[in-house]
Amino acid sequence: MPNRIEELEHRTRFEPAEVEPRITQRWLQSGLFHPEPQGSAAENYSIAIPPPNITGSLHMGHALNGAIQDVLIRFNRMQARDGTTAQPAARTKWILGTDHAGIATQAQVEKALKAEGTSRQEIGREAFERRVWEWREHYGHRIIEQFKRLGASCDYEEERFTLDDGYHRAVVKVFVDLYEQGLIYRDRYIVNWDPGSRSAISDLEVEERRETDTLYSIRYDLDGADGGSVTIATVRPETMLGDTAVAVNPQDQRYRELVGRMALLPLIGRHLPIIADEYVKRDFGTGQLKVTPAHDPNDFEIGQRHELEQVSVIGEDGRMTSEAGERFAGLTVMQARAAVVEALKEEGRIVGEEPYEHEVPYSHRSGERIEPLISLQWFMRMDELAQPAIEAVTCGAVRIVPDNHRRVYLDWMANIRPWCISRQLWWGHRLPVYYCQTCNHVHVATSAPEHCEKCGGELRQEEDVLDTWFSSALWPFATLGWPDETPQLQAFYPTNVLSTARDILFLWVARMIMMGLRFTGQVPFSDVYIHTVIQAPDGRRMSKSLGTGIDPLEEIERHGADAVRFGLLAMSSSQDVRYSAEKVQQGQALANKLFNAARFVLLKVAEVDVTGAGSGEIAGESGAVESLRSLPRPEAVEDRSILPRPEAVEDRWILSRLEQIEADTAARIADYDFSHAALGLYDFVYGELCDWYLELVKHRLASDGSSTSEQDRNRLAAILLHVLRETVAMSHPVMPFVTEELWSYLGGGNELLAGASYPCADNSLIDPEAEVSMERAIEAITLIRGWRDSVGARPGLIVPARLNAKGYETTAASVARLARLELTSAADAPAAVVAVPVPGGVLEVLSEEGLDLQAAERRRTGERERLEAEIERVRAKLANERFVAKAPEAVVAGERSKLAHLEAELGAV
RNA sequence: GGGCGCGUAGCUCAGCGGGAGAGCGCUCGCUUCACACGCGAGAGGUCGCUGGUUCGAAACCAGCCGUGCCCACCA
């Protein structure tokens, strides 16, 4: 041990690049991340990672969410290993895997093929699929490696893939079951057609862009001898070739007479019935609308209501079809638009043109403009699935954090629409649907039937694959072996929390809840945590295409994984936040500070140890240091011998602060308040432990031994080691690498910190019989003065805490201000002292318990009493007639709801 | 159009009923034997605007302005 500590002498900095790979190795070899499936999900803790795309590379969102989940996982793993409980250790598992990402992956491989001068059509489906699998073998694990660099403690030994064999079985079973239950069906429907990928894509993959186009007003003549015309407005004149009606609002007096007559479609000459439909807005344009059921979703619905013909003039390749007429067939949509306008102008039919700004749909994936088209697709009916998923959230079986997203979820679910689940791709789960080549009979089955059950004819499997989100929706249970009742499923399903960004709340989260309930009868997770979105430093969205992305891996390279984790967690406060390199820097500084504080203590303590003495009174037979090292944790803490001498106020103070920060950090992590958890650690380590406590205590460790007894030095060494160990252990979920490294010196064994137990706040260290009294505080001041004088430091401020006229306790800072006004040197300090300065001019109040007053108050009264006091206050306010009469309705209502809230909280305590 | 955020020091953000704060940046001074990824001392703010509630508002309420995100079928 001494040798190892000596080597610290020269490591004056924490070097992530040197430490991280070494630590990662140890973790991976330890098997700590791979729990055996035992016990029930209620006893265990699990998180299913949002599976990154195999095409993906770690971006800021992954890094943040990775850090968040890892904090939860590590924190809970450390809870689970708490040796103080008699129960068998619970298991903690972070379920890992990747998503096959249909469109994105296919696009990647197609790009590669193109570079080789070929195409998927050319090589055929089978060869193409082989190519994609090869691609996946090569590149598909990159992102997993990147998660390792982040320090993410996933179960790397059981990596799943949304397209592996077992997973496919789950997907097929779900499809077949839902088909048999009548929820999956085939229909002609207008879909968002992406000409780029030649596939239908979901509403959720459509991105609207604001563009300025021309709004044309076009005159259509009426059929009949009496002349007359209607004027319609459109930004897409090319679609008029597919018009099959003209519509007006039924309430529109102006056009009563027109309904039932016919208009003539210019250029084509088709007869268009004039119909009345509520959809038409009377005040837009002329209030006369052209209806193109085949190329506009709204018109499609109007068409359904009025049984209109559907004329498709745009094909799946994004070009005009023969239905558009010889003149236009084969043109691209934009070419056709110009040609149609020109033709109409020749006929003098354009009666108005104005610039018009509107939203134009683009494919999220291919970037091409969406063409709404009619095609034959597979759909899933959602209303029946949605109902239980709505109840799960309203009754609290699934808790959405922060809860303002609840309403968004519920609103969306209440208005849910059928889901188009088929995609015209080659990469994905091919639908388990088989068509008879002879009689067209449709078979849906888990395994391919040999012949048509009706006519015995040849069968051919559906070409389409399922929307990627179909398989993702099964993630939390399909990864654990469902539909088999595996031990994994039993031990880890349902999972505890799903952490994700809010943009896939519907795309993914809602669907997992629906599928989980339908197929397992249980919610897939009890909490949904919606994390912050990190924007680029300039406030724009971080995106590769905008060039605003910041690569987290580069940041890790530069500052270390701990620093990046700390920074991201510290940033994750509100809904959107800008990336702040400074927070990462702050994290780096903290890692280094912690490292050096530990180094200092270890080197000093080693000296103390060498002097060897130690007395039985302190900590058993040998010196405090040795005994502390060898003792397992709980005993060490409960060993009263490490309690400080009553007069050592600063010891009592740091120990009580330690207990407080432990309680706070644990509570913050449990509350998903990661930024305060991280920043709280920073404040403690910097502001209290290093700036203040270590500075105060230095002279007591001085090796010349002039000012302190050997006994005190031993005792102090024990306290220092204790504080340091707990601080390091407590910081581990946020900064796993430095802390693991330090644990190899502090841990007293070969145990990894990742597998150790989380320190729990322990009030036994705050001995009620040894409260810091006024007299003792004075002694503390004497001590501090002595130290200050000995190092020649400037006089600090030493002031009393006091109550103001109203009886409120003043805060530390207000005391500071008072002190600054009234005192200029320590010599003027009043005799009764309960507050002391810390470097930098900030004051920390030492109460009679040696703590800050609020914390002391909390401990004294307890949570229940605090709530009761709060409730009493609010009740009194509501009982005040003047208040109720004069305050705005909303204020009173606010107080009432606050009261209700507090009462509920009290009930929960 | 609806919903949800955010506007506090030059920058990024805490604070959310009684003191205007942190990190970074800036100025000055430190080879103080854990740490220059450090230590000490400073400068810097009508807490977006207007009203209201209150003994007291950066914080609570209303309205406005600015800004960002999500959802939505207005041709």
Side-chain angles (χ1 to χ4, degrees):
Chain A
M1 189 60 107
N3 288 341
R4 281 213 64 208
I5 289 179
E6 275 164 29
E7 93 198 10
L8 276 177
E9 184 80 52
H10 307 289
R11 292 175 66 183
T12 59
R13 280 184 191 178
F14 175 64
E15 302 280 3
E18 186 268 317
V19 173
E20 286 173 6
R22 185 154 47 78
I23 299 282
T24 304
Q25 265 321 101
R26 290 186 65 203
W27 284 336
L28 294 179
Q29 281 164 5
S30 73
L32 277 170
F33 302 166
H34 175 62
E36 289 306 317
Q38 281 175 23
S40 71
E43 307 165 68
N44 299 333
Y45 188 90
S46 63
I47 296 178
I49 198 170
N53 291 351
I54 50 173
T55 54
S57 177
L58 199 79
H59 62 233
M60 248 349 136
H62 292 127
L64 171 64
N65 201 18
I68 286 169
Q69 293 169 87
D70 198 44
V71 167
L72 293 169
I73 286 285
R74 285 182 187 272
F75 176 72
N76 280 286
R77 187 183 289 120
M78 290 174 85
Q79 298 292 328
R81 305 216 169 227
D82 189 341
T84 57
T85 61
Q87 290 180 347
R91 321 262 150 184
T92 300
K93 181 179 172 95
W94 188 356
I95 303 163
L96 177 70
T98 49
D99 194 292
H100 67 276
I103 300 171
T105 310
Q106 178 158 331
Q108 286 275 344
V109 176
E110 285 197 72
K111 215 167 81 185
L113 290 177
K114 197 174 174 190
E116 295 167 22
T118 178
S119 70
R120 74 179 155 102
Q121 286 82 1
E122 212 166 295
I123 66 174
R125 185 160 186 156
E126 258 181 56
F128 180 76
E129 282 183 44
R130 268 201 308 277
R131 277 298 297 262
V132 187
W133 279 104
E134 279 168 28
W135 187 93
R136 189 244 170 183
E137 282 313 308
H138 255 97
Y139 305 105
H141 301 280
R142 189 179 45 174
I143 192 151
I144 302 284
E145 292 307 310
Q146 294 170 334
F147 268 95
K148 287 182 187 165
R149 296 220 36 207
L150 188 67
S153 59
C154 313
D155 185 352
Y156 294 99
E157 293 177 40
E158 279 182 349
E159 182 187 326
R160 295 306 302 268
F161 183 46
T162 53
L163 212 51
D164 64 33
D165 289 342
Y167 208 106
H168 183 66
R169 218 155 54 86
V171 167
V172 167
K173 176 172 168 52
V174 166
F175 186 96
V176 173
D177 284 2
L178 290 176
Y179 178 80
E180 284 170 357
Q181 292 156 10
L183 294 188
I184 286 181
Y185 58 94
R186 204 179 187 207
D187 198 5
R188 269 175 76 79
Y189 202 76
I190 190 150
V191 294
N192 300 304
W193 188 261
D194 174 7
S197 61
R198 298 249 176 139
S199 173
I201 64 172
S202 77
D203 282 350
L204 298 164
E205 288 167 311
V206 172
E207 179 188 354
E208 304 282 344
R209 297 191 199 156
R210 275 210 92 71
E211 283 184 5
T212 304
D213 279 316
T214 307
L215 181 67
Y216 297 96
S217 296
I218 306 169
R219 182 167 47 82
Y220 290 11
D221 288 337
L222 293 181
D223 185 30
D226 58 338
S229 64
V230 293
T231 302
I232 58 88
T234 181
V235 289
R236 302 199 57 196
E238 72 280 8
T239 63
M240 69 173 283
L241 301 170
D243 285 2
T244 54
V246 168
V248 297
N249 190 289
Q251 258 71 54
D252 198 330
Q253 301 298 337
R254 295 174 293 175
Y255 305 130
R256 272 253 155 100
E257 305 298 310
L258 290 179
V259 176
R261 291 191 61 181
M262 287 284 176
L264 280 174
L265 183 61
L267 307 179
I268 303 278
R270 185 161 48 234
H271 283 73
L272 307 176
I274 298 176
I275 57 174
D277 193 280
E278 291 287 351
Y279 169 75
V280 183
K281 303 274 183 294
R282 275 181 281 182
D283 52 0
F284 190 94
T286 55
Q288 298 168 332
L289 174 73
K290 77 187 202 51
V291 184
T292 321
H295 297 291
D296 182 285
N298 300 308
D299 293 7
F300 178 82
E301 283 179 14
I302 297 174
Q304 300 252 298
R305 286 196 283 271
H306 299 271
E307 294 179 356
L308 297 177
E309 196 188 343
Q310 297 165 348
V311 177
S312 295
V313 293
I314 301 170
E316 297 186 347
D317 56 0
R319 289 172 181 274
M320 306 307 284
T321 65
S322 56
E323 294 261 28
E326 266 177 52
R327 190 167 171 187
F328 305 108
L331 297 181
T332 66
V333 167
M334 293 316 272
Q335 287 167 342
R337 182 174 301 178
V340 167
V341 168
E342 196 188 339
L344 289 170
K345 279 186 174 161
E346 280 168 19
E347 293 189 14
R349 296 202 165 270
I350 303 235
V351 296
E353 274 181 65
E354 52 181 310
Y356 186 74
E357 201 183 332
H358 65 145
E359 308 268 305
V360 181
Y362 280 85
S363 163
H364 207 56
R365 299 292 183 142
S366 74
E368 291 210 21
R369 251 192 48 189
I370 298 297
E371 283 301 336
L373 295 184
I374 290 183
S375 67
L376 201 50
Q377 300 285 345
W378 287 87
F379 288 87
M380 191 190 293
R381 243 182 56 213
M382 302 304 287
D383 40 5
E384 187 181 324
L385 291 164
Q387 212 42 51
I390 289 171
E391 279 157 27
V393 168
T394 48
C395 81
V398 173
R399 190 167 66 112
I400 299 179
V401 184
D403 62 7
N404 53 343
H405 293 101
R406 234 173 87 108
R407 221 179 104 193
V408 184
Y409 170 91
L410 292 172
D411 284 353
W412 190 78
M413 292 294 274
N415 301 308
I416 198 161
R417 304 172 75 157
W419 174 15
C420 175
I421 53 175
S422 49
R423 291 296 122 97
Q424 291 65 51
L425 296 173
W426 285 359
W427 178 241
H429 294 278
R430 206 160 160 182
L431 273 65
V433 176
Y434 307 86
Y435 304 104
C436 175
Q437 298 294 81
T438 322
C439 72
N440 275 336
H441 183 67
V442 177
H443 303 66
V444 172
T446 49
S447 56
E450 302 244 333
H451 302 286
C452 175
E453 62 185 14
K454 271 206 165 154
C455 71
E458 289 280 301
L459 296 176
R460 205 187 58 201
Q461 187 174 1
E462 167 67 61
E463 296 283 320
D464 288 359
V465 300
L466 287 164
D467 180 7
T468 305
W469 296 106
F470 186 99
S471 49
S472 317
L474 318 180
W475 185 248
F477 51 93
T479 47
L480 294 171
W482 186 91
D484 296 335
E485 243 328 301
T486 60
Q488 277 87 353
L489 197 63
Q490 201 141 52
F492 301 115
Y493 187 86
T495 63
N496 290 68
V497 55
L498 181 94
S499 174
T500 187
R502 65 178 176 282
D503 56 354
I504 51 175
L505 186 59
F506 314 125
L507 216 53
W508 189 44
V509 180
R511 287 167 180 170
M512 278 193 286
I513 297 174
M514 291 187 271
M515 292 305 208
L517 286 167
R518 182 80 177 194
F519 287 94
T520 69
Q522 287 178 288
V523 293
F525 27 73
S526 36
D527 287 358
V528 173
Y529 175 65
I530 305 287
H531 70 240
T532 299
V533 171
I534 303 208
Q535 302 173 327
D538 62 3
R540 287 188 296 169
R541 207 184 163 71
M542 257 201 202
S543 94
K544 246 186 236 161
S545 52
L546 286 174
T548 49
I550 292 176
D551 183 355
L553 292 163
E554 281 175 24
E555 292 291 277
I556 289 175
E557 204 72 51
R558 234 192 308 276
H559 304 283
D562 290 329
V564 172
R565 293 167 61 116
F566 175 94
L568 291 175
L569 293 168
M571 278 176 242
S572 68
S573 46
S574 66
Q575 187 173 282
D576 305 286
V577 87
R578 296 175 185 209
Y579 185 78
S580 152
E582 292 79 13
K583 287 279 192 317
V584 173
Q585 233 172 302
Q586 197 177 345
Q588 189 178 358
L590 175 60
N592 190 56
K593 195 71 170 177
L594 200 55
F595 184 80
N596 274 294
R599 204 174 133 246
F600 169 65
V601 169
L602 285 163
L603 290 168
K604 282 294 180 192
V605 160
E607 275 175 40
V608 173
D609 196 19
V610 167
T611 56
S615 84
E617 192 195 332
I618 294 163
E621 314 284 297
S622 58
V625 178
E626 275 314 312
S627 67
L628 198 76
R629 276 196 192 128
S630 58
L631 282 170
R633 194 201 92 94
E635 285 82 349
V637 172
E638 276 158 29
D639 181 355
R640 291 308 175 96
S641 67
I642 73 163
L643 280 174
R645 294 193 319 244
E647 61 268 35
V649 182
E650 68 274 25
D651 294 348
R652 199 179 306 286
W653 173 75
I654 197 66
L655 286 167
S656 63
R657 292 301 303 142
L658 176 71
E659 300 307 321
Q660 188 63 50
I661 190 70
E662 280 174 4
D664 288 350
T665 305
R668 286 162 179 166
I669 292 174
D671 276 353
Y672 303 108
D673 182 2
F674 302 103
S675 72
H676 287 104
L679 292 166
L681 288 170
Y682 179 93
D683 287 342
F684 174 72
V685 171
Y686 255 83
E688 304 190 303
L689 183 57
C690 294
D691 282 358
W692 189 218
Y693 184 69
L694 291 185
E695 293 300 331
L696 253 183
V697 118
K698 268 177 180 170
H699 75 287
R700 286 167 60 196
L701 282 170
S703 46
D704 59 23
S706 55
S707 57
T708 37
S709 68
E710 206 167 83
Q711 190 184 329
D712 179 61
R713 282 210 306 279
N714 274 308
R715 202 192 288 271
L716 178 58
I719 292 167
L720 279 168
L721 277 174
H722 169 73
V723 172
L724 203 62
R725 287 173 73 170
E726 302 255 311
T727 302
V728 162
M730 163 174 64
S731 308
H732 183 255
V734 173
M735 315 187 88
F737 289 104
V738 224
T739 51
E740 188 68 79
E741 174 71 357
L742 290 174
W743 197 250
S744 70
Y745 299 97
L746 292 162
N750 290 323
E751 179 197 43
L752 283 165
L753 179 52
S757 51
Y758 200 80
C760 50
D762 179 356
N763 285 332
S764 72
L765 275 183
I766 302 158
D767 187 343
E769 290 173 20
E771 275 186 14
V772 181
S773 66
M774 285 293 188
E775 289 92 328
R776 285 176 180 141
I778 295 165
E779 288 178 15
I781 294 309
T782 313
L783 188 90
I784 291 160
R785 278 188 193 153
W787 160 73
R788 200 174 52 209
D789 294 341
S790 74
V791 299
R794 282 201 184 190
L797 296 166
I798 301 169
V799 297
R802 56 173 73 153
L803 302 182
N804 68 16
K806 284 264 186 176
Y808 294 113
E809 291 158 346
T810 52
T811 64
S814 67
V815 172
R817 193 155 146 256
L818 281 170
R820 270 183 210 215
L821 293 173
E822 294 166 10
L823 307 173
T824 51
S825 82
D828 299 330
V833 177
V834 288
V836 292
V838 299
V842 180
L843 291 188
E844 181 61 50
V845 176
L846 288 177
S847 76
E848 290 176 77
E849 283 188 327
L851 306 170
D852 74 78
L853 295 167
Q854 288 179 357
E857 181 62 26
R858 246 176 280 139
R859 218 183 336 274
R860 202 173 304 128
T861 60
E863 186 64 8
R864 174 166 277 276
E865 285 77 4
R866 206 207 90 227
L867 284 169
E868 277 167 359
E870 185 91 5
I871 287 170
E872 194 42 52
R873 225 184 43 117
V874 179
R875 282 211 180 116
K877 197 163 184 181
L878 285 169
N880 183 336
E881 282 173 34
R882 196 155 150 255
F883 168 74
V884 176
K886 288 191 72 178
E889 198 78 282
V891 173
V892 180
E895 290 294 325
R896 289 216 175 90
S897 79
K898 185 175 176 185
L899 182 61
H901 184 78
L902 286 167
E903 281 169 344
E905 218 177 315
L906 184 64
V909 167

